[in-house]
Amino acid sequence: MAASEDDEKEEEELRQRFMAPPVSGLRELRRRRRELRSRMELLIMETQGEVCRALAALDPGATFAVDTWERKEGGGGISCVLQDGEVFEKAGVNVSVVFGLLSEEAARQMRSRGKSLKAKDGKLPFCAMGVSSVIHPKNPHVPTMHFNYRYFEIEEADGTKQWWFGGGTDLTPTYLNEEDAVHFHKTLKEACDKHDLKLYPKYKKWCDDYFYIKHRDERRGIGGIFFDDVDSPSKEEVFQFVKSCAKAVVPCYIPIVKKHCHDSFTPEEKLWQQLRRGRYVEFNLVYDRGTKFGLLTPGSRIESILMSLPLTARWEYMHTPPESSKEAEILEVLRNPKDWVH
């Protein structure tokens, strides 16, 4: 087979794995396939496709709306959203690849995390790309799941480039199922352990600390892994770690959905789910770093940034669950995170 035929076959295979054509163009990505930026874009596109196909298989009556968008300042993205299915109330999987000049507010946010960014005439060229997802099921016995894997690059005044990766996967159940919690955490631990045995405990603690709703004195969920600003030991090694984590998303979550999506539930259990969703909204709008960065970046697509919010949520004045109830049980774990794998 001629080389051009091989190329065409490979391009067609990639197209079938993606939800839409990549932001940078398939030919351009293949031409620059050895560059990490291209490999990361291919990874986030493949992850989006894998997750969307796995979710759609569980909710065959529903379909993902695929929305391709452009950012006039540079780049664009692909938003895939399923709403009002039988299994999922709302499931979104977004890819964004954006570049241009970093806004003053975004630069200030990064400097507050210890980044020393030397701008040229006040300008900082940047490139950011990532895949992010939030899945809100209908059944209160199926947990909400979030994941995000991203790469950031900034060019400083002297031409040097700062780069780092961030990401994580975390679970937010309405009711505690210890078997599910162990499965979720063990799957993520296995992905981390392929690279360094110290990563899972370090990133598990970071996740518990990051998803802390300070004004409620509780975590958003039962955690998982979270990391940010990771720029060592080497670009290739961190990329391979991120790839392992992205590949763990489907096996850590989909078996839990399959197990519980047909469980029966009461109106009271549905009400508790709505109250817990209120906490989810509070964290995302008050504390979440990615939401803040998106809202501070000129030309950002607000619909995609706020895709993480559920269709429905509820706030009740002074709601306190009865002692020794299933609702009180999950609150105890949210206030005092557990070790799920030892």
Side-chain angles (χ1 to χ4, degrees), residues 238-296:
V238 185
F239 173 71
Q240 291 300 333
F241 165 66
V242 167
K243 188 174 181 180
S244 293
C245 293
K247 295 294 179 191
V249 168
V250 167
C252 78
Y253 182 61
I254 294 299
I256 297 173
V257 181
K258 283 182 178 175
K259 181 177 163 187
H260 296 292
C261 64
H262 299 300
D263 287 4
S264 60
F265 59 89
T266 66
E268 291 75 24
E269 288 169 335
K270 187 68 180 174
L271 171 68
W272 178 243
Q273 180 195 52
Q274 299 298 293
L275 292 166
R276 295 312 309 165
R277 290 235 179 111
R279 298 290 205 269
Y280 205 94
V281 172
E282 288 175 31
F283 178 85
N284 282 28
L285 294 182
V286 177
Y287 299 109
D288 187 66
R289 196 180 287 175
T291 303
K292 284 183 178 179
F293 175 78
L295 296 175
L296 293 174

Tab-separated table of all heavy atoms in Angstrom, residues 238-296:
chain	number	residue	atom	x	y	z
A	238	VAL	N	5.535	13.169	32.382
A	238	VAL	CA	4.256	13.679	32.907
A	238	VAL	C	3.146	13.400	31.894
A	238	VAL	O	2.030	13.020	32.271
A	238	VAL	CB	4.327	15.188	33.247
A	238	VAL	CG1	3.016	15.631	33.905
A	238	VAL	CG2	5.484	15.498	34.184
A	239	PHE	N	3.439	13.552	30.610
A	239	PHE	CA	2.437	13.255	29.579
A	239	PHE	C	1.983	11.795	29.667
A	239	PHE	O	0.780	11.501	29.594
A	239	PHE	CB	2.988	13.549	28.176
A	239	PHE	CG	2.066	13.099	27.068
A	239	PHE	CD1	0.872	13.766	26.808
A	239	PHE	CD2	2.386	11.989	26.288
A	239	PHE	CE1	0.011	13.343	25.799
A	239	PHE	CE2	1.539	11.552	25.282
A	239	PHE	CZ	0.351	12.234	25.027
A	240	GLN	N	2.936	10.875	29.831
A	240	GLN	CA	2.574	9.452	29.919
A	240	GLN	C	1.713	9.179	31.153
A	240	GLN	O	0.789	8.367	31.116
A	240	GLN	CB	3.833	8.584	29.932
A	240	GLN	CG	4.597	8.567	28.614
A	240	GLN	CD	3.777	8.033	27.443
A	240	GLN	OE1	2.858	7.228	27.613
A	240	GLN	NE2	4.091	8.486	26.237
A	241	PHE	N	1.999	9.878	32.255
A	241	PHE	CA	1.187	9.745	33.467
A	241	PHE	C	-0.237	10.244	33.210
A	241	PHE	O	-1.224	9.578	33.564
A	241	PHE	CB	1.832	10.520	34.616
A	241	PHE	CG	0.916	10.736	35.793
A	241	PHE	CD1	0.482	9.663	36.558
A	241	PHE	CD2	0.463	12.008	36.118
A	241	PHE	CE1	-0.383	9.856	37.633
A	241	PHE	CE2	-0.396	12.204	37.185
A	241	PHE	CZ	-0.821	11.122	37.942
A	242	VAL	N	-0.352	11.420	32.596
A	242	VAL	CA	-1.667	11.987	32.279
A	242	VAL	C	-2.447	11.039	31.367
A	242	VAL	O	-3.657	10.825	31.543
A	242	VAL	CB	-1.510	13.384	31.636
A	242	VAL	CG1	-2.818	13.867	31.010
A	242	VAL	CG2	-1.030	14.389	32.686
A	243	LYS	N	-1.748	10.441	30.418
A	243	LYS	CA	-2.390	9.491	29.498
A	243	LYS	C	-2.964	8.295	30.265
A	243	LYS	O	-4.096	7.878	30.024
A	243	LYS	CB	-1.359	9.018	28.464
A	243	LYS	CG	-1.933	8.188	27.343
A	243	LYS	CD	-0.852	7.910	26.299
A	243	LYS	CE	-1.405	7.091	25.147
A	243	LYS	NZ	-0.360	6.834	24.134
A	244	SER	N	-2.192	7.759	31.223
A	244	SER	CA	-2.678	6.633	32.039
A	244	SER	C	-3.928	7.019	32.824
A	244	SER	O	-4.884	6.244	32.925
A	244	SER	CB	-1.590	6.172	33.015
A	244	SER	OG	-0.506	5.617	32.322
A	245	CYS	N	-3.926	8.238	33.381
A	245	CYS	CA	-5.090	8.710	34.151
A	245	CYS	C	-6.314	8.863	33.254
A	245	CYS	O	-7.427	8.482	33.639
A	245	CYS	CB	-4.770	10.041	34.826
A	245	CYS	SG	-3.521	9.929	36.104
A	246	ALA	N	-6.113	9.416	32.056
A	246	ALA	CA	-7.235	9.608	31.127
A	246	ALA	C	-7.826	8.260	30.712
A	246	ALA	O	-9.044	8.118	30.573
A	246	ALA	CB	-6.775	10.402	29.904
A	247	LYS	N	-6.951	7.258	30.522
A	247	LYS	CA	-7.424	5.930	30.115
A	247	LYS	C	-8.161	5.220	31.253
A	247	LYS	O	-8.869	4.234	31.028
A	247	LYS	CB	-6.242	5.069	29.650
A	247	LYS	CG	-5.549	5.568	28.398
A	247	LYS	CD	-6.447	5.495	27.182
A	247	LYS	CE	-5.762	6.022	25.931
A	247	LYS	NZ	-6.729	6.196	24.812
A	248	ALA	N	-7.990	5.699	32.498
A	248	ALA	CA	-8.651	5.067	33.652
A	248	ALA	C	-10.069	5.594	33.877
A	248	ALA	O	-10.797	5.037	34.707
A	248	ALA	CB	-7.811	5.291	34.912
A	249	VAL	N	-10.474	6.643	33.163
A	249	VAL	CA	-11.777	7.275	33.419
A	249	VAL	C	-12.930	6.282	33.197
A	249	VAL	O	-13.782	6.102	34.070
A	249	VAL	CB	-11.960	8.532	32.540
A	249	VAL	CG1	-13.415	9.010	32.586
A	249	VAL	CG2	-11.025	9.646	32.992
A	250	VAL	N	-12.965	5.644	32.044
A	250	VAL	CA	-14.080	4.733	31.734
A	250	VAL	C	-14.112	3.549	32.705
A	250	VAL	O	-15.157	3.265	33.301
A	250	VAL	CB	-14.025	4.275	30.262
A	250	VAL	CG1	-14.973	3.100	30.012
A	250	VAL	CG2	-14.389	5.446	29.339
A	251	PRO	N	-12.989	2.837	32.941
A	251	PRO	CA	-13.075	1.695	33.868
A	251	PRO	C	-13.345	2.055	35.324
A	251	PRO	O	-13.869	1.226	36.077
A	251	PRO	CB	-11.707	1.009	33.720
A	251	PRO	CG	-10.811	1.989	33.068
A	251	PRO	CD	-11.683	2.883	32.253
A	252	CYS	N	-13.007	3.283	35.757
A	252	CYS	CA	-13.269	3.611	37.170
A	252	CYS	C	-14.736	3.977	37.402
A	252	CYS	O	-15.238	3.820	38.512
A	252	CYS	CB	-12.345	4.733	37.667
A	252	CYS	SG	-12.778	6.405	37.168
A	253	TYR	N	-15.446	4.429	36.363
A	253	TYR	CA	-16.797	4.966	36.565
A	253	TYR	C	-17.912	4.135	35.934
A	253	TYR	O	-18.944	3.894	36.574
A	253	TYR	CB	-16.855	6.389	36.015
A	253	TYR	CG	-18.189	7.078	36.200
A	253	TYR	CD1	-18.717	7.296	37.478
A	253	TYR	CD2	-18.933	7.530	35.114
A	253	TYR	CE1	-19.939	7.934	37.664
A	253	TYR	CE2	-20.153	8.172	35.287
A	253	TYR	CZ	-20.654	8.373	36.562
A	253	TYR	OH	-21.857	9.011	36.729
A	254	ILE	N	-17.737	3.703	34.705
A	254	ILE	CA	-18.835	3.051	33.974
A	254	ILE	C	-19.386	1.813	34.701
A	254	ILE	O	-20.611	1.632	34.764
A	254	ILE	CB	-18.394	2.709	32.526
A	254	ILE	CG1	-18.154	4.015	31.739
A	254	ILE	CG2	-19.434	1.846	31.823
A	254	ILE	CD1	-19.359	4.922	31.582
A	255	PRO	N	-18.536	0.957	35.326
A	255	PRO	CA	-19.112	-0.185	36.065
A	255	PRO	C	-20.044	0.239	37.210
A	255	PRO	O	-21.023	-0.460	37.506
A	255	PRO	CB	-17.874	-0.906	36.610
A	255	PRO	CG	-16.771	-0.523	35.678
A	255	PRO	CD	-17.055	0.894	35.276
A	256	ILE	N	-19.772	1.382	37.831
A	256	ILE	CA	-20.621	1.881	38.928
A	256	ILE	C	-21.986	2.304	38.375
A	256	ILE	O	-23.032	2.031	38.974
A	256	ILE	CB	-19.925	3.050	39.662
A	256	ILE	CG1	-18.630	2.573	40.313
A	256	ILE	CG2	-20.860	3.679	40.694
A	256	ILE	CD1	-17.783	3.690	40.919
A	257	VAL	N	-21.975	2.968	37.207
A	257	VAL	CA	-23.243	3.380	36.577
A	257	VAL	C	-24.065	2.152	36.212
A	257	VAL	O	-25.272	2.073	36.509
A	257	VAL	CB	-22.992	4.247	35.321
A	257	VAL	CG1	-24.328	4.686	34.714
A	257	VAL	CG2	-22.131	5.458	35.649
A	258	LYS	N	-23.419	1.167	35.593
A	258	LYS	CA	-24.129	-0.063	35.187
A	258	LYS	C	-24.768	-0.751	36.397
A	258	LYS	O	-25.876	-1.270	36.322
A	258	LYS	CB	-23.148	-1.029	34.515
A	258	LYS	CG	-22.789	-0.681	33.086
A	258	LYS	CD	-21.849	-1.745	32.524
A	258	LYS	CE	-21.511	-1.445	31.071
A	258	LYS	NZ	-20.504	-2.400	30.555
A	259	LYS	N	-24.058	-0.734	37.501
A	259	LYS	CA	-24.499	-1.440	38.706
A	259	LYS	C	-25.743	-0.809	39.329
A	259	LYS	O	-26.602	-1.515	39.879
A	259	LYS	CB	-23.338	-1.424	39.701
A	259	LYS	CG	-23.563	-2.123	41.020
A	259	LYS	CD	-22.257	-2.058	41.820
A	259	LYS	CE	-22.472	-2.342	43.273
A	259	LYS	NZ	-21.241	-2.106	44.054
A	260	HIS	N	-25.871	0.525	39.234
A	260	HIS	CA	-26.919	1.211	39.995
A	260	HIS	C	-27.974	1.948	39.162
A	260	HIS	O	-28.931	2.465	39.741
A	260	HIS	CB	-26.283	2.239	40.940
A	260	HIS	CG	-25.405	1.635	41.986
A	260	HIS	ND1	-25.901	0.844	43.009
A	260	HIS	CD2	-24.061	1.696	42.170
A	260	HIS	CE1	-24.899	0.447	43.773
A	260	HIS	NE2	-23.770	0.951	43.287
A	261	CYS	N	-27.818	2.024	37.851
A	261	CYS	CA	-28.706	2.908	37.078
A	261	CYS	C	-30.164	2.469	37.090
A	261	CYS	O	-31.055	3.267	36.784
A	261	CYS	CB	-28.193	3.109	35.657
A	261	CYS	SG	-28.146	1.621	34.658
A	262	HIS	N	-30.419	1.204	37.469
A	262	HIS	CA	-31.815	0.744	37.551
A	262	HIS	C	-32.266	0.520	38.993
A	262	HIS	O	-33.336	-0.064	39.230
A	262	HIS	CB	-32.000	-0.530	36.721
A	262	HIS	CG	-31.704	-0.330	35.263
A	262	HIS	ND1	-32.395	0.574	34.483
A	262	HIS	CD2	-30.755	-0.885	34.459
A	262	HIS	CE1	-31.907	0.548	33.250
A	262	HIS	NE2	-30.918	-0.313	33.210
A	263	ASP	N	-31.474	0.986	39.966
A	263	ASP	CA	-31.889	0.874	41.370
A	263	ASP	C	-33.168	1.685	41.605
A	263	ASP	O	-33.342	2.765	41.023
A	263	ASP	CB	-30.797	1.437	42.296
A	263	ASP	CG	-29.574	0.533	42.394
A	263	ASP	OD1	-29.539	-0.501	41.693
A	263	ASP	OD2	-28.645	0.877	43.158
A	264	SER	N	-34.024	1.187	42.475
A	264	SER	CA	-35.222	1.969	42.834
A	264	SER	C	-34.824	3.050	43.832
A	264	SER	O	-33.822	2.913	44.554
A	264	SER	CB	-36.286	1.052	43.448
A	264	SER	OG	-35.767	0.441	44.618
A	265	PHE	N	-35.593	4.133	43.858
A	265	PHE	CA	-35.312	5.209	44.813
A	265	PHE	C	-36.609	5.912	45.199
A	265	PHE	O	-37.609	5.856	44.472
A	265	PHE	CB	-34.294	6.210	44.249
A	265	PHE	CG	-34.695	6.881	42.961
A	265	PHE	CD1	-35.421	8.060	42.965
A	265	PHE	CD2	-34.336	6.327	41.725
A	265	PHE	CE1	-35.786	8.691	41.786
A	265	PHE	CE2	-34.695	6.945	40.536
A	265	PHE	CZ	-35.421	8.136	40.567
A	266	THR	N	-36.576	6.563	46.351
A	266	THR	CA	-37.765	7.228	46.899
A	266	THR	C	-37.730	8.728	46.584
A	266	THR	O	-36.662	9.279	46.271
A	266	THR	CB	-37.805	7.063	48.419
A	266	THR	OG1	-36.688	7.774	48.985
A	266	THR	CG2	-37.736	5.588	48.816
A	267	PRO	N	-38.858	9.413	46.708
A	267	PRO	CA	-38.855	10.875	46.542
A	267	PRO	C	-37.912	11.563	47.528
A	267	PRO	O	-37.291	12.580	47.210
A	267	PRO	CB	-40.314	11.273	46.792
A	267	PRO	CG	-41.113	10.042	46.511
A	267	PRO	CD	-40.232	8.886	46.892
A	268	GLU	N	-37.787	11.004	48.735
A	268	GLU	CA	-36.890	11.596	49.744
A	268	GLU	C	-35.427	11.483	49.307
A	268	GLU	O	-34.624	12.398	49.527
A	268	GLU	CB	-37.085	10.903	51.104
A	268	GLU	CG	-38.420	11.172	51.776
A	268	GLU	CD	-39.585	10.407	51.125
A	268	GLU	OE1	-39.338	9.353	50.485
A	268	GLU	OE2	-40.735	10.876	51.276
A	269	GLU	N	-35.085	10.361	48.678
A	269	GLU	CA	-33.708	10.184	48.182
A	269	GLU	C	-33.421	11.128	47.015
A	269	GLU	O	-32.327	11.674	46.899
A	269	GLU	CB	-33.489	8.723	47.764
A	269	GLU	CG	-33.408	7.790	48.968
A	269	GLU	CD	-33.450	6.326	48.600
A	269	GLU	OE1	-34.000	5.975	47.527
A	269	GLU	OE2	-32.941	5.506	49.387
A	270	LYS	N	-34.424	11.363	46.189
A	270	LYS	CA	-34.259	12.313	45.077
A	270	LYS	C	-34.070	13.730	45.629
A	270	LYS	O	-33.253	14.511	45.109
A	270	LYS	CB	-35.480	12.251	44.146
A	270	LYS	CG	-35.334	13.079	42.869
A	270	LYS	CD	-34.288	12.496	41.944
A	270	LYS	CE	-34.150	13.333	40.670
A	270	LYS	NZ	-33.034	12.851	39.821
A	271	LEU	N	-34.800	14.066	46.670
A	271	LEU	CA	-34.668	15.382	47.305
A	271	LEU	C	-33.251	15.583	47.843
A	271	LEU	O	-32.644	16.643	47.666
A	271	LEU	CB	-35.686	15.515	48.442
A	271	LEU	CG	-35.537	16.756	49.339
A	271	LEU	CD1	-35.864	18.019	48.565
A	271	LEU	CD2	-36.420	16.638	50.570
A	272	TRP	N	-32.703	14.549	48.493
A	272	TRP	CA	-31.344	14.647	49.039
A	272	TRP	C	-30.319	14.841	47.908
A	272	TRP	O	-29.361	15.597	48.036
A	272	TRP	CB	-31.035	13.392	49.859
A	272	TRP	CG	-29.647	13.348	50.442
A	272	TRP	CD1	-28.675	12.441	50.158
A	272	TRP	CD2	-29.087	14.240	51.417
A	272	TRP	NE1	-27.543	12.710	50.884
A	272	TRP	CE2	-27.763	13.815	51.669
A	272	TRP	CE3	-29.567	15.356	52.094
A	272	TRP	CZ2	-26.912	14.454	52.571
A	272	TRP	CZ3	-28.723	16.002	53.005
A	272	TRP	CH2	-27.422	15.558	53.231
A	273	GLN	N	-30.556	14.164	46.780
A	273	GLN	CA	-29.682	14.364	45.617
A	273	GLN	C	-29.690	15.830	45.172
A	273	GLN	O	-28.643	16.412	44.866
A	273	GLN	CB	-30.133	13.470	44.451
A	273	GLN	CG	-29.276	13.620	43.193
A	273	GLN	CD	-29.960	13.024	41.976
A	273	GLN	OE1	-31.116	13.346	41.681
A	273	GLN	NE2	-29.262	12.150	41.269
A	274	GLN	N	-30.874	16.423	45.158
A	274	GLN	CA	-30.981	17.826	44.732
A	274	GLN	C	-30.257	18.770	45.696
A	274	GLN	O	-29.616	19.734	45.276
A	274	GLN	CB	-32.466	18.235	44.638
A	274	GLN	CG	-33.271	17.418	43.639
A	274	GLN	CD	-32.754	17.585	42.229
A	274	GLN	OE1	-32.838	18.655	41.643
A	274	GLN	NE2	-32.182	16.530	41.680
A	275	LEU	N	-30.328	18.481	46.987
A	275	LEU	CA	-29.629	19.295	47.980
A	275	LEU	C	-28.118	19.156	47.839
A	275	LEU	O	-27.371	20.136	47.941
A	275	LEU	CB	-30.072	18.900	49.396
A	275	LEU	CG	-31.519	19.249	49.751
A	275	LEU	CD1	-31.955	18.528	51.020
A	275	LEU	CD2	-31.686	20.758	49.916
A	276	ARG	N	-27.641	17.929	47.579
A	276	ARG	CA	-26.204	17.719	47.371
A	276	ARG	C	-25.734	18.389	46.081
A	276	ARG	O	-24.613	18.882	46.008
A	276	ARG	CB	-25.868	16.222	47.332
A	276	ARG	CG	-26.112	15.466	48.617
A	276	ARG	CD	-25.560	16.142	49.850
A	276	ARG	NE	-24.152	16.523	49.725
A	276	ARG	CZ	-23.527	17.356	50.538
A	276	ARG	NH1	-24.168	17.918	51.555
A	276	ARG	NH2	-22.259	17.648	50.361
A	277	ARG	N	-26.599	18.420	45.098
A	277	ARG	CA	-26.240	19.124	43.851
A	277	ARG	C	-26.051	20.614	44.117
A	277	ARG	O	-25.248	21.276	43.469
A	277	ARG	CB	-27.348	18.918	42.813
A	277	ARG	CG	-27.393	17.487	42.299
A	277	ARG	CD	-27.302	17.470	40.802
A	277	ARG	NE	-27.328	16.110	40.306
A	277	ARG	CZ	-28.325	15.576	39.618
A	277	ARG	NH1	-29.406	16.298	39.379
A	277	ARG	NH2	-28.244	14.344	39.180
A	278	GLY	N	-26.816	21.148	45.059
A	278	GLY	CA	-26.635	22.550	45.431
A	278	GLY	C	-25.218	22.812	45.915
A	278	GLY	O	-24.598	23.832	45.592
A	279	ARG	N	-24.677	21.863	46.696
A	279	ARG	CA	-23.286	21.983	47.165
A	279	ARG	C	-22.317	21.951	45.979
A	279	ARG	O	-21.300	22.635	45.974
A	279	ARG	CB	-22.950	20.836	48.126
A	279	ARG	CG	-23.782	20.797	49.390
A	279	ARG	CD	-23.427	21.969	50.320
A	279	ARG	NE	-23.731	21.666	51.704
A	279	ARG	CZ	-24.884	21.931	52.298
A	279	ARG	NH1	-25.864	22.514	51.626
A	279	ARG	NH2	-25.068	21.621	53.574
A	280	TYR	N	-22.631	21.106	44.999
A	280	TYR	CA	-21.786	20.998	43.808
A	280	TYR	C	-21.694	22.354	43.105
A	280	TYR	O	-20.622	22.810	42.722
A	280	TYR	CB	-22.379	19.948	42.854
A	280	TYR	CG	-21.362	19.313	41.936
A	280	TYR	CD1	-20.747	18.117	42.294
A	280	TYR	CD2	-21.006	19.891	40.723
A	280	TYR	CE1	-19.811	17.515	41.466
A	280	TYR	CE2	-20.075	19.299	39.894
A	280	TYR	CZ	-19.479	18.108	40.270
A	280	TYR	OH	-18.547	17.522	39.443
A	281	VAL	N	-22.848	23.000	42.976
A	281	VAL	CA	-22.904	24.320	42.339
A	281	VAL	C	-22.093	25.334	43.154
A	281	VAL	O	-21.330	26.135	42.592
A	281	VAL	CB	-24.370	24.784	42.191
A	281	VAL	CG1	-24.439	26.236	41.721
A	281	VAL	CG2	-25.126	23.879	41.216
A	282	GLU	N	-22.252	25.294	44.467
A	282	GLU	CA	-21.520	26.238	45.327
A	282	GLU	C	-20.016	26.120	45.106
A	282	GLU	O	-19.319	27.122	44.950
A	282	GLU	CB	-21.866	25.987	46.802
A	282	GLU	CG	-23.273	26.433	47.170
A	282	GLU	CD	-23.639	26.070	48.602
A	282	GLU	OE1	-22.735	26.037	49.471
A	282	GLU	OE2	-24.834	25.809	48.869
A	283	PHE	N	-19.509	24.885	45.103
A	283	PHE	CA	-18.062	24.725	44.908
A	283	PHE	C	-17.640	25.270	43.543
A	283	PHE	O	-16.665	26.024	43.429
A	283	PHE	CB	-17.627	23.259	45.029
A	283	PHE	CG	-16.153	23.109	44.767
A	283	PHE	CD1	-15.236	23.309	45.787
A	283	PHE	CD2	-15.681	22.854	43.481
A	283	PHE	CE1	-13.862	23.242	45.533
A	283	PHE	CE2	-14.319	22.790	43.217
A	283	PHE	CZ	-13.402	22.982	44.256
A	284	ASN	N	-18.349	24.872	42.498
A	284	ASN	CA	-17.914	25.234	41.148
A	284	ASN	C	-17.911	26.741	40.916
A	284	ASN	O	-17.022	27.269	40.247
A	284	ASN	CB	-18.807	24.542	40.102
A	284	ASN	CG	-18.423	23.084	39.941
A	284	ASN	OD1	-17.920	22.463	40.874
A	284	ASN	ND2	-18.646	22.536	38.766
A	285	LEU	N	-18.887	27.431	41.472
A	285	LEU	CA	-18.970	28.874	41.208
A	285	LEU	C	-18.116	29.708	42.161
A	285	LEU	O	-17.699	30.805	41.810
A	285	LEU	CB	-20.431	29.332	41.283
A	285	LEU	CG	-21.349	28.768	40.188
A	285	LEU	CD1	-22.751	29.347	40.341
A	285	LEU	CD2	-20.814	29.055	38.789
A	286	VAL	N	-17.840	29.170	43.359
A	286	VAL	CA	-17.101	29.965	44.349
A	286	VAL	C	-15.607	29.651	44.338
A	286	VAL	O	-14.778	30.552	44.461
A	286	VAL	CB	-17.682	29.747	45.762
A	286	VAL	CG1	-16.871	30.518	46.804
A	286	VAL	CG2	-19.148	30.185	45.810
A	287	TYR	N	-15.245	28.363	44.163
A	287	TYR	CA	-13.858	27.959	44.380
A	287	TYR	C	-13.124	27.399	43.163
A	287	TYR	O	-11.896	27.441	43.127
A	287	TYR	CB	-13.792	26.894	45.488
A	287	TYR	CG	-14.306	27.372	46.813
A	287	TYR	CD1	-15.516	26.898	47.333
A	287	TYR	CD2	-13.604	28.301	47.575
A	287	TYR	CE1	-16.005	27.328	48.556
A	287	TYR	CE2	-14.079	28.740	48.794
A	287	TYR	CZ	-15.277	28.256	49.286
A	287	TYR	OH	-15.754	28.696	50.491
A	288	ASP	N	-13.824	26.814	42.209
A	288	ASP	CA	-13.139	26.043	41.169
A	288	ASP	C	-12.201	26.887	40.318
A	288	ASP	O	-12.608	27.891	39.720
A	288	ASP	CB	-14.146	25.330	40.271
A	288	ASP	CG	-13.447	24.395	39.303
A	288	ASP	OD1	-12.855	23.405	39.766
A	288	ASP	OD2	-13.462	24.674	38.093
A	289	ARG	N	-10.942	26.472	40.254
A	289	ARG	CA	-9.893	27.214	39.547
A	289	ARG	C	-10.144	27.273	38.040
A	289	ARG	O	-9.943	28.291	37.404
A	289	ARG	CB	-8.553	26.528	39.837
A	289	ARG	CG	-7.345	27.339	39.509
A	289	ARG	CD	-6.083	26.556	39.832
A	289	ARG	NE	-5.843	26.451	41.249
A	289	ARG	CZ	-4.861	25.742	41.787
A	289	ARG	NH1	-4.059	25.041	41.015
A	289	ARG	NH2	-4.688	25.723	43.089
A	290	GLY	N	-10.593	26.131	37.472
A	290	GLY	CA	-10.847	26.084	36.035
A	290	GLY	C	-11.994	26.994	35.629
A	290	GLY	O	-11.920	27.689	34.608
A	291	THR	N	-13.049	27.014	36.438
A	291	THR	CA	-14.185	27.902	36.150
A	291	THR	C	-13.739	29.358	36.212
A	291	THR	O	-14.058	30.163	35.321
A	291	THR	CB	-15.327	27.659	37.164
A	291	THR	OG1	-15.703	26.280	37.121
A	291	THR	CG2	-16.535	28.524	36.851
A	292	LYS	N	-12.957	29.692	37.239
A	292	LYS	CA	-12.472	31.075	37.374
A	292	LYS	C	-11.598	31.470	36.187
A	292	LYS	O	-11.747	32.557	35.627
A	292	LYS	CB	-11.667	31.226	38.672
A	292	LYS	CG	-12.507	31.292	39.930
A	292	LYS	CD	-11.595	31.505	41.128
A	292	LYS	CE	-12.380	31.639	42.416
A	292	LYS	NZ	-11.488	31.814	43.575
A	293	PHE	N	-10.660	30.564	35.794
A	293	PHE	CA	-9.782	30.877	34.663
A	293	PHE	C	-10.606	31.105	33.397
A	293	PHE	O	-10.375	32.053	32.648
A	293	PHE	CB	-8.759	29.751	34.436
A	293	PHE	CG	-7.913	29.975	33.209
A	293	PHE	CD1	-6.857	30.865	33.229
A	293	PHE	CD2	-8.206	29.313	32.021
A	293	PHE	CE1	-6.091	31.084	32.096
A	293	PHE	CE2	-7.448	29.529	30.885
A	293	PHE	CZ	-6.383	30.412	30.926
A	294	GLY	N	-11.589	30.217	33.165
A	294	GLY	CA	-12.425	30.352	31.974
A	294	GLY	C	-13.179	31.668	31.943
A	294	GLY	O	-13.228	32.356	30.921
A	295	LEU	N	-13.753	32.039	33.088
A	295	LEU	CA	-14.531	33.279	33.148
A	295	LEU	C	-13.641	34.516	32.999
A	295	LEU	O	-14.118	35.580	32.590
A	295	LEU	CB	-15.318	33.347	34.458
A	295	LEU	CG	-16.388	32.255	34.645
A	295	LEU	CD1	-17.024	32.352	36.017
A	295	LEU	CD2	-17.461	32.336	33.568
A	296	LEU	N	-12.335	34.363	33.321
A	296	LEU	CA	-11.407	35.499	33.222
A	296	LEU	C	-10.695	35.576	31.870
A	296	LEU	O	-9.963	36.523	31.614
A	296	LEU	CB	-10.339	35.406	34.328
A	296	LEU	CG	-10.832	35.582	35.769
A	296	LEU	CD1	-9.702	35.310	36.747
A	296	LEU	CD2	-11.411	36.967	35.989
